[in-house]
Amino acid sequence: MKKNILILSYMFLVFGIFAIEVGGHLTEDTIWSAENNPYIITSFLYVDSDVTLTILPGTEILAYGADINCSGDFEWSGPTNAGEPYAKKIIVDGTIIAVGSLENPITFDKYEEDEDYKWGGIYFTENAPMSTFKHCVLNNSFVCDYEQYKRAFAVLELDNGIIDISHCSFTDNYIALSTGNLSMDLVIYKCSFDTGYIYLPHFSASKALTIGTSEENPPLRDYEVTIASCYFTGHSGLVNLRGDEKVLFLYNFYDNFDGRVINEPLRDYNYASISTYGNYAYNGNKGLSGFSADSTDVIFARRNKLESISNNNILAIGAVGFGTNYVSDNYLIGNTKVRMSAREGNKFYVYNNIIESTRPTFPTLEFEEATGEFPGGEIYFYNNLVDYKNLNENVSALHVNDSSPLIYNNTFVNYSSFQLNSGDCLPVYTNNIIGIENGYGINYPYVTEYINNCCINPFPENSEYYYVENHLYADPLFADTLSSDYTLSPESPAIDAGLNIEGLPDFDIRYHKRIESENGTVDIGAYEYNSVYIGGLVGNVYDAHSGQAVDCAKIQILNKLPEFSDSLGNYIYPCGAGVYSVVVSRWDYEELIIPDITVTEGEELVLNIPLSRTIVANSDNETIPATSSSFGLKSYPNPFNPVNSLSKGSSRTQISFVVPVAGQGELAIFNIKGQRVKTIYKGKFDKGYHNYSWDGKNSNNANVASGIYFYKLKVASKSEVSKMMLMK
């Protein structure tokens, strides 16, 4: 105790002239600014009901802390104190508006320098309105009572279940953000979490987030939780999910993160549903799996990248649950694996993944059926490249445990042996290229079916554990194995040697067209030879007012899985040929519906998408939001080369825009002198999306010279001009 007094006395000498001590009740609206730094919380600070505390950029708030080795110092009327805890908290019954900036964030931290000291964090009461935290730094909090026998675990503890949060940093907190009473959709955007490791006896390890719904008052609908563009590192848990919510992990970076998602049920197996998209996990010991909570759920684990160069920890992707699960378009490299756990009534579609594993000792793929209470389920594994890179290891490609997966049109290369089976399992392999050095594995006492595969090594003769039909024993003749190019060479015997089986999609691993020959065959393996792109959308999502890229925008076509724009606003959507309505949305933008989009097989249609910030709820979802001065006029590619274009062999640039209100107008090309080169279209423009092409020729059908050109759109009384470059 004397030591504490000496520390505080010294700090008062240093900061006493400049610091502002705060505590007690704020009974009227208050503003804190950096001019009065630091604000030192010396006793519990209460933001009363109907009061707003506004904190300006650069402000520092430091709260008295306590030693985490003295748990009583965080308890109300604990054994070492007669009143409120020594560690101080902020109790919010009103509102906090803490909006900093990138250059001048707002800081919440402990007062003491001792690393064992932590403060009590911020607690929001059940009736508090929504508060806002942007560009804030929140560090060094610990579990602390907000009332006697009532404990808060996080630096932001939300008993009201609502918050507006983005661009915040959390370091060395027991939990960064926690709510067990989620009461609306939640977005956690561009935040960073360094969990460290803080041990709390009788409780679980520290973690970044704890999110759940009320057990006493369950919500009428599943709330959507989006965790997007965040950074995670540390040695503890990631997220603890409990209850009725649909969670999307979107474009996050997990840097040597050793935690995982914990999905705990409420109300007799009411789990949260989890999807993942576009995340990058580097080293650490984390999975990016999806989870479907009930039979009606459709979840996905897609376009993620897992990279592990460490043999100590393994990164895994997969899915589990009770609904329909998609695991596709992921890239795994290093000490990685894919794991499926089938349950009653559910389906797993695992396709178009590239798996370059170095996982030692154990198989790369694990297919199992959940036994006991939840048996059953179907696993479909197709169009995958499974390539083992650690050639000195004696490793099998897959382990099948109590399940009967259908495995077709995959390419397996560089494995020592093929499968390890255990339990009641009846896998069926069709149209696969199986490149192994040794045996295929015995499925004792069951039979494994091998139908129409291309295998380098033959099966054992007279084996009762294999059913082998129409097998091709030959070198598949890949295009370039030294460069890991496992497309088929023109001489490959796998071309037109596969069965066009039921359930085989019309695309291969590259989303190129599966070509059915005259006799009804396709190619064996993940790649179809000499085929074309199935067709799709490509483009950019951007803010209609500022022109800045919009990341994390959801691009959705009915009855197809969604795609999302990346950090530059770019997206790709291999939807295939057809006529579609495209729905584009993000949590802070108005939903945009673009009807009648025609996609042609073999081509990429450039669809650049302007979004308008949400101001009021849009009551007419069919209305395309108008912008004050922009049609979203863009061209792609730009620069373009009519001789050798960047756009998959196209000799044209695509000019796209959205017309908010129908009207007469024209689209024309002008040179740098302002002279009209060509009128692309003149007439009526209907409301909605438009796309035109220019091939670099003038109105006389002659090629124009290289240089800068302008394309001008005019509709009714509005016009817009953009610039492009033609290069030869």
Side-chain angles (χ1 to χ4, degrees):
M1 184 65 187
K2 290 182 178 179
K3 178 183 177 181
N4 291 347
I5 294 174
L6 289 174
I7 292 174
L8 294 178
S9 298
Y10 173 76
M11 288 185 173
F12 281 135
L13 287 174
V14 175
F15 294 116
I17 299 175
F18 307 103
I20 294 180
E21 296 182 11
V22 292
H25 289 263
L26 295 181
T27 58
E28 59 183 22
D29 291 350
T30 303
I31 298 176
W32 289 356
S33 67
E35 296 175 354
N36 298 314
N37 281 342
Y39 291 81
I40 300 177
I41 300 175
T42 58
S43 64
F44 271 34
L45 176 70
Y46 295 86
V47 181
D48 286 354
S49 178
D50 298 323
V51 171
T52 298
L53 170 60
T54 302
I55 306 175
L56 300 181
T59 303
E60 298 177 5
I61 300 98
L62 307 177
Y64 279 5
D67 191 333
I68 59 174
N69 299 299
C70 302
S71 60
D73 289 351
F74 295 85
E75 298 175 3
W76 197 281
S77 297
T80 58
N81 57 301
E84 67 184 29
Y86 282 121
K88 304 308 176 186
K89 292 185 69 70
I90 301 175
I91 311 294
V92 183
D93 201 37
T95 305
I96 292 180
I97 305 297
V99 180
S101 65
L102 180 63
E103 298 79 12
N104 295 291
I106 297 167
T107 300
F108 297 84
D109 209 335
K110 63 182 181 181
Y111 181 76
E112 298 81 6
E113 293 185 1
D114 191 320
E115 63 180 14
D116 286 335
Y117 273 67
K118 305 289 181 182
W119 67 296
I122 307 173
Y123 170 74
F124 299 84
T125 67
E126 182 179 2
N127 297 317
M130 180 184 290
S131 289
T132 300
F133 288 78
K134 297 184 178 182
H135 291 290
C136 295
V137 177
L138 301 103
N139 298 338
N140 295 302
S141 74
F142 193 58
V143 178
C144 186
D145 288 356
Y146 57 92
E147 295 179 16
Q148 191 170 16
Y149 309 124
K150 293 184 178 181
R151 179 170 290 176
F153 289 80
V155 66
L156 295 177
E157 184 84 15
L158 310 172
D159 221 12
N160 57 354
I162 52 176
I163 193 169
D164 179 12
I165 185 168
S166 66
H167 300 86
C168 290
S169 171
F170 300 85
T171 302
D172 289 335
N173 303 286
Y174 180 70
I175 298 175
L177 183 149
S178 177
T179 178
N181 297 306
L182 192 66
S183 56
M184 65 178 295
D185 294 342
L186 172 65
V187 176
I188 301 172
Y189 177 60
K190 287 195 174 179
C191 293
S192 66
F193 301 90
D194 186 346
T195 60
Y197 182 82
I198 303 173
Y199 176 69
L200 184 63
H202 311 300
F203 293 94
S204 61
S206 56
K207 57 188 67 68
L209 302 165
T210 296
I211 300 170
T213 54
S214 171
E215 188 169 5
E216 293 78 18
N217 299 297
L220 298 177
R221 68 174 180 89
D222 291 347
Y223 293 121
E224 295 184 1
V225 177
T226 304
I227 302 170
S229 299
C230 292
Y231 175 88
F232 294 92
T233 189
H235 304 285
S236 191
L238 173 59
V239 180
N240 188 10
L241 300 170
R242 303 179 72 240
D244 302 292
E245 61 259 16
K246 295 186 183 298
V247 183
L248 172 62
F249 292 93
L250 179 63
Y251 287 121
N252 300 296
F253 178 32
Y254 309 95
D255 183 10
N256 285 281
F257 198 87
D258 288 334
R260 63 189 181 92
V261 175
I262 303 170
N263 199 6
E264 297 181 337
L266 285 178
R267 297 176 293 278
D268 297 327
Y269 300 106
N270 277 13
Y271 291 89
S273 290
I274 303 169
S275 291
T276 65
Y277 184 102
N279 302 279
Y280 176 37
Y282 178 76
N283 283 345
N285 191 20
K286 166 151 184 11
L288 290 175
S289 298
F291 182 87
S292 53
D294 59 53
S295 61
T296 61
D297 275 347
V298 177
I299 63 93
F300 49 83
R302 302 186 59 239
R303 300 199 185 277
N304 302 290
K305 180 180 179 181
L306 284 69
E307 181 178 4
S308 177
I309 61 174
S310 169
N311 285 334
N312 296 323
N313 295 319
I314 185 169
L315 296 177
I317 199 165
V320 68
F322 305 88
T324 303
N325 310 269
Y326 293 90
V327 179
S328 70
D329 305 281
N330 301 289
Y331 177 48
L332 282 67
I333 183 171
N335 189 14
T336 56
K337 71 174 182 178
V338 176
R339 180 175 180 268
M340 300 292 120
S341 183
R343 295 175 183 249
E344 181 179 4
N346 63 357
K347 294 185 178 180
F348 294 85
Y349 298 95
V350 188
Y351 61 94
N352 288 43
N353 300 285
I354 296 177
I355 305 157
E356 298 180 344
S357 178
T358 61
R359 185 190 184 194
T361 309
F362 299 100
T364 301
L365 310 176
E366 297 179 2
F367 301 136
E368 66 177 11
E369 178 183 287
T371 57
E373 188 172 0
F374 305 114
E378 302 173 12
I379 299 175
Y380 302 89
F381 187 83
Y382 55 91
N383 284 358
N384 300 283
L385 171 64
V386 188
D387 179 9
Y388 193 63
K389 295 294 187 181
N390 194 358
L391 300 182
N392 295 323
E393 286 282 338
N394 184 9
V395 169
S396 298
L398 67 160
H399 176 212
V400 180
N401 179 28
D402 285 310
S403 65
S404 301
L406 300 178
I407 300 171
Y408 48 97
N409 286 91
N410 303 283
T411 299
F412 298 92
V413 291
N414 300 321
Y415 281 87
S416 176
S417 57
F418 193 49
Q419 67 173 357
L420 293 174
N421 293 347
S422 57
D424 183 359
C425 50
L426 298 169
V428 178
Y429 300 92
T430 307
N431 289 352
N432 301 283
I433 293 176
I434 303 176
I436 57 173
E437 295 180 2
N438 299 317
Y440 291 88
I442 296 177
N443 187 21
Y444 178 82
Y446 304 98
V447 176
T448 300
E449 295 187 20
Y450 290 90
I451 303 172
N452 220 94
N453 301 284
C454 178
C455 300
I456 296 177
N457 292 326
F459 288 88
E461 294 183 4
N462 303 320
S463 174
E464 59 183 309
Y465 303 114
Y466 305 109
Y467 173 78
V468 181
E469 180 182 323
N470 294 331
H471 249 53
L472 175 65
Y473 298 107
D475 185 336
L477 298 179
F478 297 118
D480 187 358
T481 56
L482 294 178
S483 300
S484 297
D485 181 358
Y486 294 104
T487 58
L488 302 176
S489 69
E491 299 81 18
S492 173
I495 296 174
D496 290 337
L499 300 176
N500 193 2
I501 62 175
E502 182 179 356
L504 181 67
D506 64 353
F507 53 83
D508 71 354
I509 190 172
R510 302 163 299 173
Y511 290 98
H512 282 207
K513 188 78 174 176
R514 283 283 181 189
I515 304 171
E516 184 177 355
S517 65
E518 293 181 358
N519 59 359
T521 61
V522 296
D523 295 349
I524 294 177
Y527 297 89
E528 189 77 11
Y529 176 74
N530 199 28
S531 61
V532 299
Y533 182 48
I534 61 172
L537 303 173
V538 66
N540 183 265
V541 185
Y542 61 98
D543 187 288
H545 176 70
S546 67
Q548 297 297 311
V550 175
D551 65 338
C552 300
K554 179 181 181 181
I555 302 99
Q556 178 77 70
I557 293 173
L558 185 64
N559 297 324
K560 295 182 180 292
L561 294 176
E563 304 288 354
F564 295 84
S565 60
D566 64 15
S567 60
L568 300 177
N570 297 322
Y571 71 93
I572 182 170
Y573 204 138
C575 56
V579 179
Y580 305 108
S581 287
V582 180
V583 182
V584 189
S585 60
R586 203 179 90 153
W587 55 87
D588 50 352
Y589 282 85
E590 293 184 12
E591 183 179 274
L592 175 65
I593 298 178
I594 309 174
D596 301 327
I597 301 298
T598 301
V599 176
T600 303
E601 184 178 294
E603 296 184 5
E604 282 185 336
L605 175 65
V606 179
L607 181 61
N608 295 315
I609 303 170
L611 292 182
S612 297
R613 286 278 185 182
T614 301
I615 300 175
V616 295
N618 186 359
S619 60
D620 181 7
N621 287 338
E622 292 297 329
T623 300
I624 296 178
T627 61
S628 58
S629 61
S630 174
F631 296 103
L633 186 64
K634 285 196 174 186
S635 64
Y636 179 88
N638 185 11
F640 85 105
N641 185 336
V643 176
N644 183 24
S645 178
L646 301 176
S647 60
K648 290 189 178 291
S650 171
S651 60
R652 301 167 179 265
T653 188
Q654 304 292 324
I655 302 172
S656 60
F657 51 91
V658 174
V659 175
V661 179
Q664 296 290 326
E666 71 172 13
L667 174 66
I669 308 294
F670 297 84
N671 62 23
I672 198 169
K673 298 179 180 180
Q675 299 167 328
R676 184 182 294 261
V677 174
K678 187 173 185 177
T679 299
I680 303 296
Y681 175 82
K682 186 174 184 179
K684 182 182 179 181
F685 290 99
D686 293 331
K687 180 183 72 173
Y689 172 79
H690 296 265
N691 185 71
Y692 294 88
S693 64
W694 183 44
D695 57 3
K697 296 181 179 181
N698 61 20
S699 55
N700 296 321
N701 204 33
N703 292 325
V704 300
S706 298
I708 295 174
Y709 290 85
F710 298 92
Y711 50 108
K712 180 179 180 181
L713 172 67
K714 182 178 181 182
V715 181
S717 60
K718 294 183 178 181
S719 64
E720 184 176 348
V721 179
S722 290
K723 180 173 63 176
M724 71 173 72
M725 178 174 290
L726 186 152
M727 300 176 63
K728 294 182 180 179

